[in-house]
């Protein structure tokens, strides 16, 4: 994917033409000022020897201008880096969201986080670094010309070392690009294994397998170590080769200049200019750090391009009006989880989705609100395909509550009102009362203004806050994905009764495990082995003993 990555790098240059031109202009002016200072210094020294002093004012002005432009380069470069990095992170995160929660094509979470952080940063830093490198190259060429004007013998020295330095730099760039990609992949693999282990830490502790898990998590460390050593070896090898050649060239140039002063070909001021111009002329040859940055950015851009190239939902072309809440699935297939699902949920209907573990109940719930995208078939809301609808329209009309909701927001109020900028405190409190969360929230140190991170919440309390967020959305379609699985029976009964009142006229989908939940629904979608086995009221489905076995196991039930 290096070619796609290089295209991505080129695209960052075109992201903001005005900013790019400003950064390039100030960088070039800064290089020009740096180039002018030695020439003015040479004139000032020679003028002093001739008992003239006017050139010192020009020298001071040039130094002040050089410092001012350097500050401008730093400010514009950092501004550009911040903008590009933020844009890349926005695109990558948007791509992950558009692909849906099933995310089968996406890399593991830890790897995706690495791409969002390290890789986006590496690409964002490239542009100001490249501008600086280009400027150093131009200044270096100008410095060579200046040395030739001082004494043509000075330039002959460069012809000896330049080809060797260029070959070493090219070899280093090609090698580090591949090594950087391998290193990042190994880092991401270790991070993913560590996250898996942390998620199952209690099971690991209970089974006494900590040592074995540690060995599993650290297994890719050998690859990380060998790749890191190879990268540093390549940089060190290129670094000492370039540094040695640069120093030899510099000493030779200064030796020739010293001989020129003794013979009268070069003035003392020109000798000082030679001392200043030689590092500038050699600067372009000693850019191993720049090459490392370019190699790292190319590898990172390829990793970003891998994700951005994945197929996601097309751009929205339709707008959802006032939704009635009719949901339809036509010939839906998703991987090996669901196959050929045809289902209509009339507006205002409560549908219970039942089936054995692994049947695809949660996946079906994800499909209804566009959290998952089918491989084949279509999901429609009020006869409009979800693929063609803006995500904010779906978020407004389809609300979810999960068994383990993510509490997004700084305070309890912010969490319940998340994504609802116009919601009032009174509406938040009313939603909490419906979800049986108001009482325990008011007992918190700051009530609804308590920071979520500052108080430990039980699993049931987290669920109730998640349900309150669902109620606050006032959506037309409500999806309860095991949203009350961890609640005690009394609390669940109170919430069910409250939700029943607010669900009147709304389309409700409930992933159900209890028979009373299925019995209270208008329709039951019975799923087994990824296929729809039946769609009817609970009492009607009870005539099938396989369905009865879901709630009342029957030894004679067949699969």
């Amino acid at each position: 994917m290096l070619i796609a990555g290089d295209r991505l790098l080129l695209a960052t240059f075109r992201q903001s033409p005005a900013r790019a031109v400003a950064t390039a202009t100030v960088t070039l002016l800064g290089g020009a000022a740096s180039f002018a200072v030695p020439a003015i210094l040479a004139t000032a020294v020679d003028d002093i020897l001739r008992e003239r002093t006017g050139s010192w004012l020009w020298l001071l002005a040039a130094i002040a201008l050089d410092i001012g432009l350097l500050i401008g380069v730093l400010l514009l470069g950092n501004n550009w880096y911040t903008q590009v990095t933020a844009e890349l992170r926005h695109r990558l995160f948007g791509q992950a969201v558009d692909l849906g929660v099933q995310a089968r094509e996406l890399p593991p979470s830890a790897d995706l986080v690495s791409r969002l952080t390290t890789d986006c940063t590496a690409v964002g830093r490239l542009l100001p670094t490249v501008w600086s490198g280009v400027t150093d190259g131009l200044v270096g060429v100008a410095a060579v010309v200046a040395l030739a004007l001082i004494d043509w013998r000075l330039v002959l020295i460069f012809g000896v070392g330049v080809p060797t330095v260029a070959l070493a730099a090219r070899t280093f760039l090609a090698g580090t690009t591949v090594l950087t990609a391998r290193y990042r992949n190994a880092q991401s693999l270790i991070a993913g294994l560590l996250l898996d282990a942390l998620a199952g830490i209690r099971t690991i502790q209970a089974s006494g397998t900590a040592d074995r898990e540690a060995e599993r998590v650290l297994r890719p460390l050998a690859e990380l170590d060998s790749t890191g050593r190879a990268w540093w070896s390549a940089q060190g090898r290129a670094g000492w080769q370039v540094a040695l050649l640069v120093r030899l060239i510099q000493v030779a140039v200064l030796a020739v200049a010293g001989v020129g002063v003794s013979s009268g070909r070069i003035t003392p001021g020109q000798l000082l200019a030679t001392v200043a111009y030689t590092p500038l002329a050699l600067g372009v040859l000693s850019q191993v750090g720049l090459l490392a940055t370019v190699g790292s950015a190319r590898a990172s851009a390829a990793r970003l391009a891998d994700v951005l190239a994945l197929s996601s939902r097309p751009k929205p072309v339709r707008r959802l009006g006032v939704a009635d809440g009719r949901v339809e699935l036509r010939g839906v297939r998703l991987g090996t989880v669901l196959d050929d699902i045809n289902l209509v949920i009339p507006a205002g209907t409560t549908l219970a989705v039942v089936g054995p573990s692994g049947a695809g109940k949660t996946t079906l719930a994800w499909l209804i609100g566009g959290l998952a995208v089918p491989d084949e078939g279509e999901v429609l809301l009020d006869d409009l395909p979800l693929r063609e609808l803006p995500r904010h329209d779906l978020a407004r009309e389809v609300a979810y509550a999960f068994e383990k909701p993510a509490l997004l927001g700084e305070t309890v109020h912010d969490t319940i009102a998340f994504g609802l900028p116009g919601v009032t405190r009174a509406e938040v409190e009313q939603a909490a009362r419906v979800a049986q969360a108001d009482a325990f929230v008011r007992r918190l140190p700051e009530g609804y203004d308590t920071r979520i991170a500052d108080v430990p919440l039980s699993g049931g309390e987290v669920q109730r806050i998640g349900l309150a967020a669902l109620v606050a959305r006032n959506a037309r379609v409500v999806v309860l994905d095991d949203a009350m699985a961890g609640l005690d029976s009394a609390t669940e009964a109170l919430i069910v009764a409250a939700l029943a009142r607010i669900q009147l006229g709304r389309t409700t989908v409930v992933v159900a495990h209890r028979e009373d939940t299925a019995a209270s629904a208008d329709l039951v979608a019975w799923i087994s082995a990824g296929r729809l086995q039946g769609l009817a009221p609970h009492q009607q489905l009870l005539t099938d003993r396989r369905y009865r076995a879901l709630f009342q196991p029957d030894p004679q039930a067949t699969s």
Side-chain angles (χ1 to χ4, degrees), residues 495-529:
I495 294 176
V496 168
L499 288 177
R501 292 193 297 271
I502 68 169
Q503 287 171 3
L504 293 176
R506 288 181 171 82
T507 305
T508 304
V509 177
V510 184
V511 175
H513 296 281
R514 300 181 182 179
E515 185 175 6
D516 55 352
T517 304
S520 64
D522 300 314
L523 286 174
V524 175
W526 169 26
I527 296 179
S528 181

Side-chain angles (χ1 to χ4, degrees), residues 101-102 104 329-343 353-369 371-379 400 509 511 525-533:
V101 293
Q102 82 275 21
R104 291 178 296 112
L329 283 74
R330 295 179 183 171
V332 167
R333 183 184 68 80
L334 181 56
T336 59
V337 183
L338 294 175
D339 185 31
D340 194 27
I341 300 295
N342 292 278
L343 171 65
V353 182
V354 304
S357 178
K361 302 184 296 295
T362 291
T363 302
L364 188 144
W366 287 349
L367 286 165
I368 289 172
L371 300 186
V373 180
D375 297 328
E376 294 180 9
E378 202 72 77
V379 182
Y400 279 85
V509 177
V511 175
W526 169 26
I527 296 179
S528 181
R531 287 181 172 272
L532 185 63
Q533 305 296 325

Side-chain angles (χ1 to χ4, degrees), residues 226-294:
S226 63
T227 303
R229 289 177 183 274
W231 193 93
W232 285 111
S233 176
Q235 185 173 21
R237 187 166 55 252
W240 76 258
Q241 290 173 349
V242 171
L244 179 61
L245 288 169
V246 165
R247 293 297 180 267
L248 290 174
I249 294 172
Q250 190 171 10
V251 170
V253 169
L254 294 179
V256 172
V259 172
V261 172
S262 64
S263 65
R265 292 195 315 269
I266 298 177
T267 67
Q270 289 175 327
L271 176 62
L272 288 177
T274 301
V275 171
Y277 278 133
T278 301
L280 293 178
L282 293 170
V284 69
L285 302 179
S286 57
Q287 293 293 316
V288 174
L290 171 62
L291 295 175
T293 300
V294 173

Side-chain angles (χ1 to χ4, degrees), residues 293-511:
T293 300
V294 173
S296 175
R298 290 187 70 216
S300 292
R303 282 165 50 83
L304 297 180
D306 284 341
V307 177
L308 294 175
L310 297 175
S311 177
S312 59
R313 76 167 64 226
K315 291 184 178 180
V317 295
R318 308 278 289 273
R319 294 304 304 270
L320 188 65
V322 179
D324 292 329
R326 181 181 183 274
V327 177
E328 181 178 359
L329 283 74
R330 295 179 183 171
V332 167
R333 183 184 68 80
L334 181 56
T336 59
V337 183
L338 294 175
D339 185 31
D340 194 27
I341 300 295
N342 292 278
L343 171 65
V344 175
I345 310 173
T349 297
T350 296
L351 174 78
V353 182
V354 304
S357 178
K361 302 184 296 295
T362 291
T363 302
L364 188 144
W366 287 349
L367 286 165
I368 289 172
L371 300 186
V373 180
D375 297 328
E376 294 180 9
E378 202 72 77
V379 182
L380 302 97
L381 176 59
D382 291 341
D383 296 323
L384 297 177
L386 297 193
R387 296 175 184 269
E388 301 179 11
L389 297 175
R391 187 166 292 280
H392 58 78
D393 279 10
L394 292 177
R396 186 183 68 243
E397 297 297 345
V398 183
Y400 279 85
F402 303 100
E403 179 182 0
K404 296 179 180 179
L407 302 186
L408 304 176
E410 184 173 352
T411 66
V412 175
H413 173 275
D414 295 340
T415 299
I416 296 175
F418 190 78
L420 302 171
V423 72
T424 65
R425 172 58 68 90
E427 291 170 330
V428 166
E429 294 176 356
Q430 174 58 27
R433 281 192 288 273
V434 171
Q436 300 299 304
D438 180 71
F440 81 79
V441 170
R442 292 187 182 278
R443 289 195 298 269
L444 296 176
E446 302 295 331
Y448 284 88
D449 296 319
T450 301
R451 285 170 45 87
I452 288 289
D454 292 344
V455 291
L457 298 174
S458 69
E461 289 170 341
V462 170
Q463 278 187 302
R464 280 180 275 172
I465 290 178
L467 284 166
L470 167 84
V471 174
R473 300 200 74 84
N474 195 29
R476 191 67 182 170
V477 179
V478 174
V479 182
L480 303 175
D481 182 10
D482 280 351
M484 291 175 281
L487 300 177
D488 61 86
S489 299
T491 301
E492 180 181 354
L494 291 172
I495 294 176
V496 168
L499 288 177
R501 292 193 297 271
I502 68 169
Q503 287 171 3
L504 293 176
R506 288 181 171 82
T507 305
T508 304
V509 177
V510 184
V511 175

Side-chain angles (χ1 to χ4, degrees), residues 103-125:
R104 291 178 296 112
E105 304 94 335
L106 286 172
S109 298
D111 190 8
L112 187 61
V113 170
S114 174
R115 300 183 198 221
L116 278 164
T117 53
T118 304
D119 290 322
C120 287
T121 298
V123 174
R125 289 192 185 281

